[in-house]
Amino acid sequence: MKDKLTPMMEQYMRLKKELKEAILLFRLGDFYEMFFEDAKLCSRLLQITLTSRAAKGRKVPMCGVPHHAVENYLNKLLRQGYKVGICEQVEDPAAAKGLVKREITRIITPGTVLSPGLLEEKENNYLMAICRDQGDKAGIAFVDLSTGDFKAGELNKKDINDELSRIRPRECLLGEGVDENSLLNGWKDGVITKVEDWVFIYERSKSLLEEQFGVVTLDGFGISQMTMGVGAAGAIVHYLRETQKAKLGHLKGVSIYAPGEHMMLDRVTRRNLELTRTLIERGTPKGMASPTEGSLVWVIDETITSMGGRKIRQWIGEPLISAGKIKERQDAVEELYSDDEARYSLRKMLEDVSDLERLVARLSCQSANARDMVAIKNTLTMIGPLKEAMKKVKALRNVYLRDNLDEVPEVKAIIEKAIKDDPPPQIKEGGIIRTGYNKELDELHKIKKEGKGYLAHLEEREIKRTGINSLKVKFNSVFGYYIEIRKTNLHLAPSDYIRKQTLVSAERFITPELKEYEAKVLEADDRIKALEYEIFSEARGEILKHSSRLQKLADIAAEIDVFLSLGEAARRGNYTRPEINDTGVIDIKDGRHPVLEKIMGREKFIPNDTYMDTEETSFLIITGPNMAGKSTYIRQVALLVILAQMGSFIPVKSARIGVCDRIFTRVGAADDLARGRSTFLVEMSETANILNNATERSLLILDEIGRGTSTFDGISIAWGVSERLCEKGCRSLCATHYHELTALTNKEKCAKNYSVAVREWNDEVIFLHKVLPGVADKSYGIHVARIAGIPHGVIDRSREILSQLEDGSFLKREDSKQMEFFDGPKKMKPHPVVEILKDINPDELAPKEALALLYELIKKAKEKDA
């Protein structure tokens, strides 16, 4: 095969072998070309024309994209989970002797993206690695290459999926011997990349990290004893070095990732509460700009900077559990909330602050240009005024942030002296270095400038010598400098003119003098470009010496932005500062759902009170009609607690929030066919997770427990679960249509009944959306079916059947075993479960006897339903 390929195609094949599973974009002039199977694949994925290239008697499939538009195509490939190797020409084709030298300069994967056009401004782009042993523990590490945020830690294997949901990596590294299905539990939200198992070995990873951070021990980072955490972090550094082909100077350390310092929010809870994404998939409805719109972050994200946008998302996903730290944040928010003038002024200043985190990362990975340097300089210019504007702050956190605003004057001075204010985007074409910065460069520019005057003088002289007034001295990239004469004046051309090109209406000539001048000017131009790039690279190196200070400044600016955002959201939404304590009490007056209130308008949303504690009012049973607002109400309480514990003000008249360690939700369900799990099994798995892990400090949101199976099974399960939660003292909100469950208040003193009020008027149902003490007597399901568009005939028949069911007169159906409970026009026969229960006194039951009875009830219910 090799003898049938051209030298260039042989070069391509050699470089392609360096990539395992990546598509190779091969630079060829102004295009990136793809060949063979890559071409066929990309032609289909990118919807570009598939052509072919002759290669010594054979046709090679190929397709290509313009180099200036490559980011758009890269984005499409990365979003579909592909990895892409970029092969560049590393020498000037004009100066190359024979085949142009090419190298793979970087490998872009979903977790290693750096280009601004491929990143979401306000979202982190994490690469994660998981190191596991044969026991119950696992090590995780994750890094955002675009910001330098790098963390490592260890946790229980069963918590891996929750952390995947919290961190949301775009790519996850696993050892080749790891079964991803069992470890990641079917995770499909990113790309899984397998690497050699030896990459995770502790000793190798430890040495690699010490080398990366320039230290002799990892003790200063607090992770040296985390065998698996170090293994995962080392795997990440190894992978980044393999793919980036550049120094990772902005990765100067790793911090401990300790999930126990924050409220635990598992994958199910994050999804159900729609914290940063709505449940809408595959597109968005009309009027919705993105999956973020309609989520909690959509309500409170008033950040100005991209850095602030990323940090507020981190805070939403990691609410605090220390009352003291929460109050410290609240003090900072309140100070900025109370001073409208200062808040407006500070937010206005932040408009001129660029994404410092990602600018430093691009500099470190050698993908930044001179415009990025100017953006850093302009950002540093704003730090002084920002610090001055915060001189009157008194809240402890705000004082700390103000005092640590670092103008990094050394970096600002380097850029001001070396880089022009409006440089071009290219860094190898010249035009980026200021006049006066480098003596040699100034002299070269002088030669080039004087050359232009020389050309004008030469043109004037040749016009006089030849008598041709239309004679022009010109330049193009193909022929260089030349003299152009119209054909009507060819007879006047001197004998020393050497013909170079013939056009339709003119002839082009050169002279020995002109070629000598050309060599001098072009040599100066080439040297200018080379020298400017050298100076730019030197400046980049000097700036990166201060990268740690720049990263710390970025983090401080982001936190200021978040406090300003929370103050702005509180002012716009008329939010109130909640009282945070460790009492276990949740006492909310006139609470409002933050998302629905923004969508509907404050005047249309009906506020509701909530009172819960861990002793006498821990279990609230919420009954009421469909569409009355039960689910909205219980989710509302969870969202208010999350907002409160991240340090935000909340939409209430007043509130006392006893800190929650976890929030669990059991809301709705869908089957998981890929893993062979029915809807009901998914529901029971989530319920089991709650029963096994909830504590007295947890908050539980339970919507329709047991509805995925038969009525009696469902009621039995809902009752048993409710009793257990009452025993544990978990603060629980349980919305249900099982009205039988309301009898739990007769047995459990912690259980309280609430219902959502409705009014009937002229055969219509009016939902009041007000939660009041008591039990709802109807579900009004037929009314909801009618307004949903069920045909009138079906509605009328449904009403007849409902009436007959309520008075016991519904006729038995001979062809349906489902109607065996009914006996013709007579009343329903007693269910076997009723027969078992009728002679039992619940007060005389011991716990073990009660469990045995529950088992017998479920068994009888199953037999009868079968």
Side-chain angles (χ1 to χ4, degrees), residues 255-353:
S255 56
I256 296 175
Y257 180 61
E261 295 179 358
H262 303 100
M263 179 195 291
M264 281 293 293
L265 297 168
D266 61 29
R267 176 181 58 84
V268 174
T269 297
R270 291 168 186 277
R271 181 194 68 210
N272 289 336
L273 295 182
E274 300 181 301
L275 300 182
T276 58
R277 283 283 192 279
T278 62
L279 294 175
I280 302 164
E281 295 180 357
R282 297 196 180 111
T284 54
K286 188 175 182 180
M288 289 285 200
S290 73
T292 301
E293 188 167 344
S295 66
L296 183 61
V297 74
W298 173 66
V299 177
I300 63 167
D301 182 12
E302 298 286 350
T303 55
I304 302 297
T305 68
S306 301
M307 301 177 292
R310 293 191 292 272
K311 185 168 285 291
I312 202 169
R313 282 160 175 76
Q314 291 172 5
W315 284 16
I316 288 175
E318 300 176 351
L320 299 173
I321 56 175
S322 163
K325 291 181 179 178
I326 296 170
K327 291 174 184 177
E328 186 178 56
R329 285 186 182 176
Q330 287 181 321
D331 290 343
V333 173
E334 183 168 21
E335 186 169 51
L336 298 170
Y337 163 86
S338 302
D339 192 337
D340 291 339
E341 184 178 346
R343 190 177 67 256
Y344 175 82
S345 175
L346 290 168
R347 283 168 57 82
K348 195 70 177 173
M349 291 178 186
L350 288 178
E351 291 177 1
D352 294 319
V353 172

Side-chain angles (χ1 to χ4, degrees), residues 412-691:
K412 184 181 175 184
I414 292 167
I415 301 171
E416 279 184 336
K417 291 177 182 177
I419 308 299
K420 290 182 178 179
D421 289 333
D422 188 21
Q426 299 83 10
I427 57 175
K428 294 186 177 181
E429 299 299 320
I432 61 177
I433 305 301
R434 285 185 186 274
T435 301
Y437 183 76
N438 181 279
K439 185 176 180 180
E440 181 186 353
L441 184 62
D442 290 345
E443 290 175 354
L444 290 168
H445 276 298
K446 184 178 180 182
I447 292 172
K448 191 175 178 181
K449 185 177 180 181
E450 289 176 350
K452 291 180 180 179
Y454 170 83
L455 286 176
H457 174 72
L458 175 65
E459 184 177 275
E460 183 180 347
R461 191 183 72 196
E462 290 301 305
I463 288 174
K464 288 182 179 180
R465 181 162 82 98
T466 63
I468 305 173
N469 291 328
S470 60
L471 180 148
K472 298 291 182 185
V473 177
K474 296 183 177 180
F475 173 85
N476 69 32
S477 57
V478 178
F479 297 111
Y481 290 97
Y482 57 86
I483 297 171
E484 186 172 284
I485 300 176
R486 292 178 184 173
K487 286 193 173 182
T488 54
N489 296 316
L490 279 180
H491 63 285
L492 299 176
S495 59
D496 60 338
Y497 277 25
I498 303 169
R499 182 178 277 104
K500 188 69 176 176
Q501 185 183 25
T502 300
L503 304 178
V504 174
S505 60
E507 293 281 346
R508 291 175 175 175
F509 300 88
I510 60 172
T511 67
E513 179 185 3
L514 192 58
K515 295 312 288 181
E516 183 181 343
Y517 164 77
E518 179 184 297
K520 182 179 179 181
V521 171
L522 292 182
E523 183 180 345
D525 193 50
D526 290 342
R527 179 56 185 151
I528 285 171
K529 292 176 182 178
L531 185 55
E532 288 212 8
Y533 181 68
E534 288 177 22
I535 295 169
F536 171 82
S537 299
E538 289 173 3
R540 178 174 58 198
E542 290 300 311
I543 292 169
L544 287 174
K545 291 179 180 178
H546 306 279
S547 59
S548 295
R549 291 168 64 188
L550 292 171
Q551 287 173 322
K552 182 179 179 181
L553 172 62
D555 190 61
I556 288 172
E559 189 167 341
I560 292 171
D561 194 10
V562 172
F563 284 138
L564 289 166
S565 174
L566 295 178
E568 185 72 13
R571 178 62 72 187
R572 293 184 182 183
N574 193 28
Y575 291 2
T576 301
R577 175 174 176 166
E579 176 190 328
I580 303 295
N581 55 55
D582 291 310
T583 63
V585 171
I586 295 177
D587 185 8
I588 296 170
K589 303 296 184 186
D590 285 349
R592 310 181 312 268
H593 193 294
V595 178
L596 291 183
E597 180 186 50
K598 181 172 180 177
I599 293 171
M600 297 169 56
R602 196 182 314 157
E603 67 283 351
K604 293 182 180 179
F605 191 86
I606 307 298
N608 278 295
D609 296 348
T610 304
Y611 180 85
M612 308 176 74
D613 57 39
T614 56
E615 296 177 358
E616 297 186 354
T617 315
S618 66
F619 197 85
L620 305 189
I621 303 168
I622 319 295
T623 54
N626 295 294
M627 287 186 61
K630 301 188 300 298
S631 297
T632 296
Y633 173 70
I634 61 177
R635 284 178 171 91
Q636 168 185 306
V637 176
L639 292 177
L640 295 180
V641 170
I642 288 172
L643 282 177
Q645 288 189 218
M646 67 174 280
S648 173
F649 286 21
I650 60 177
V652 297
K653 183 178 180 181
S654 66
R656 289 184 293 145
I657 305 293
V659 171
C660 300
D661 63 352
R662 294 188 68 156
I663 293 180
F664 293 91
T665 62
R666 162 79 285 289
V667 178
D671 54 26
D672 188 352
L673 297 179
R675 294 166 60 201
R677 306 193 334 154
S678 68
T679 300
F680 185 62
L681 180 56
V682 171
E683 179 185 338
M684 289 298 97
S685 298
E686 293 175 1
T687 304
N689 177 49
I690 293 172
L691 292 174

Side-chain angles (χ1 to χ4, degrees), residues 391-408:
K391 65 181 181 181
K392 294 182 180 179
V393 297
K394 295 179 180 178
L396 288 179
R397 192 62 188 172
N398 285 338
V399 169
Y400 167 82
L401 295 173
R402 178 200 64 199
D403 291 348
N404 283 275
L405 282 170
D406 183 359
E407 297 181 57
V408 200

